[in-house]
Amino acid sequence: MSTFLSSLRRPQILLAAALTLWLHVAAYGWVSANVRPLGEPVAAQPAAIMAQLWKPPVQAPAAEAPPPRKARQPRKARPAPKPAPAKSGPAAEPAAPEPVGEMAPEAVQEPVQEPVQPEPAPAAEPAPEATPEEAPAPEARLYKVELLPSARLAMDVARTDKHGVERTGTGTLAWSTDGARYQVTVEAGISMLVTRLNLLVSTSEGTVGEGGLQPLRFTEKRLTRALTATHFRRDENKITFSASERTDPLSPGAQDKASVPFQLAAIGRADPSQLAGEVDIQVGGEKDAVIYRFVMIGEEDLDTPAFGVLRTVHLARLPKPGSYNSRLDIWFAPSLGWYPVLIRNTEANGAVTTQAVTKIDTSAGK
């Protein structure tokens, strides 16, 4: 009986032994896979790095720039968080990552929205300036004229420069005409001990037309300047200058600086009322031609050393900003045939030159 029981229990013992052995082997394998020996370093888990795309803010066209926010202080580094187990369902939007370790920035600033600056409109191109040849000739009034007889006028010259230094000298004003052509020569100089120094030598020559003198060529030589020539090209209706590349349109009745006193005398001789108000005459100089506006100051008694007290007609060209800064005064003597008897030029710097006629020789032109 005992033998029979023993034979029945032997397989159970063997089965238990086999089960025990299998459990030991499985336990050993699990321990080998999951348990590290003491002192062996545990492999560091990779830190989870998360990023979020930054979109630039949309700039409002009329919004003012908000004041910049204060920079946030850097936070202390935190240990990398353990990865969370994956969850089913739609993924949540990741949060902004915190700075990690020594690579954390010193300060994080949010971008400042700058105001939109409107682009300046393109400047309109200036209209091209008309060249002198394209500019129309200025309008001018034609006057009745009666030419003066040919004569040679002797003058006393006095000059006070801008520093107040006074000089005296002599000059001549020669006028000649045959009714078809004319010529004017002006010489003015000052006495320097035993010599005479010419301050100015100028000439004007041209023809005589319905409106009076018609200059063709004017030359001028001043003390410290080179000789210049001004040409009145009447067939082309323009004035050219040797001292500049400028070309000015020719106006009817145009004069030069030497002929203009005799043109004014011819106007007054023909009809004194023509001088009332303003008289505009285009006058060609060394480098350009401008409109001289003469006004009648009035009738004045002028005490002269050579002719005594004369009743004169006083005309003046006042300074005109943008054109000329000097003043020209001329006194005409109707009782002497409208010859000029006193000419005074006041320059912009204060220098004054006076030419007083001392003799009128009408036989010189015969």
Side-chain angles (χ1 to χ4, degrees):
M1 185 68 178
S2 59
T3 305
F4 177 76
L5 295 174
S6 299
S7 62
L8 291 176
R9 293 174 179 173
R10 186 176 296 173
Q12 295 178 354
I13 295 173
L14 292 175
L15 181 59
L19 181 59
T20 302
L21 179 60
W22 179 82
L23 292 174
H24 280 78
V25 172
Y28 179 79
W30 181 86
V31 171
S32 299
N34 297 279
V35 179
R36 295 290 185 267
L38 185 63
E40 182 178 350
V42 179
Q45 296 294 331
I49 300 177
M50 305 175 71
Q52 181 180 7
L53 295 178
W54 177 81
K55 297 182 180 180
V58 178
Q59 295 181 352
E64 297 183 355
R69 298 182 180 179
K70 296 183 179 181
R72 293 184 296 180
Q73 298 297 327
R75 299 180 180 179
K76 297 182 179 180
R78 295 181 180 179
K82 295 182 180 181
K87 296 182 180 179
S88 59
E93 184 177 355
E98 297 287 346
V100 180
E102 299 295 329
M103 301 302 294
E106 295 181 358
V108 178
Q109 292 183 346
E110 294 186 7
V112 178
Q113 181 181 355
E114 298 182 358
V116 177
Q117 298 293 337
E119 296 183 359
E125 296 183 0
E129 296 182 359
T131 59
E133 292 81 1
E134 298 175 349
E139 296 182 0
R141 174 186 172 189
L142 292 179
Y143 299 89
K144 295 185 298 181
V145 296
E146 182 181 343
L147 299 183
L148 300 176
S150 300
R152 183 180 180 87
L153 286 65
M155 302 180 297
D156 283 341
V157 178
R159 177 174 173 81
T160 303
D161 64 19
K162 61 182 179 180
H163 302 294
V165 179
E166 298 181 354
R167 297 281 189 271
T168 59
T170 58
T172 57
L173 188 59
W175 154 258
S176 63
T177 181
D178 59 3
R181 300 185 64 86
Y182 81 91
Q183 183 176 11
V184 179
T185 302
V186 181
E187 294 183 6
I190 56 176
S191 301
M192 300 290 291
L193 297 178
V194 295
T195 186
R196 181 176 179 272
L197 187 64
N198 280 338
L199 296 176
L200 171 69
V201 177
S202 63
T203 61
S204 172
E205 55 186 6
T207 60
V208 178
E210 181 182 0
L213 306 184
Q214 297 178 347
L216 295 176
R217 186 172 184 268
F218 167 72
T219 62
E220 183 174 84
K221 175 68 176 72
R222 291 183 177 271
L223 178 62
T224 58
R225 302 178 188 176
L227 177 69
T228 61
T230 301
H231 299 275
F232 296 78
R233 305 185 184 277
R234 299 190 174 275
D235 54 340
E236 303 176 31
N237 287 325
K238 64 183 182 180
I239 307 175
T240 59
F241 313 89
S242 66
S244 69
E245 298 180 356
R246 181 185 177 100
T247 300
D248 284 339
L250 178 63
S251 171
Q255 302 296 316
D256 56 54
K257 292 193 293 185
S259 67
V260 68
F262 293 93
Q263 175 72 1
L264 290 172
I267 293 173
R269 185 180 173 96
D271 185 357
S273 64
Q274 296 183 105
L275 299 176
E278 299 175 343
V279 178
D280 290 343
I281 298 178
Q282 184 187 32
V283 178
E286 305 95 296
K287 297 181 179 180
D288 58 6
V290 297
I291 301 297
Y292 280 17
R293 172 163 293 176
F294 290 91
V295 296
M296 179 182 287
I297 304 301
E299 294 186 1
E300 298 177 3
D301 289 334
L302 186 66
D303 190 1
T304 66
F307 309 104
V309 178
L310 294 173
R311 189 67 175 176
T312 62
V313 175
H314 181 191
L315 298 182
R317 184 208 67 185
L318 304 178
K320 183 179 180 181
S323 297
Y324 45 81
N325 297 320
S326 60
R327 171 171 175 154
L328 177 63
D329 293 86
I330 307 176
W331 287 262
F332 298 92
S335 60
L336 297 178
W338 278 88
Y339 286 102
V341 292
L342 184 65
I343 301 175
R344 177 177 298 152
N345 185 45
T346 306
E347 301 174 24
N349 61 8
V352 179
T353 303
T354 302
Q355 304 170 70
V357 175
T358 58
K359 183 179 181 180
I360 300 176
D361 186 2
T362 57
S363 64
K366 296 180 180 181

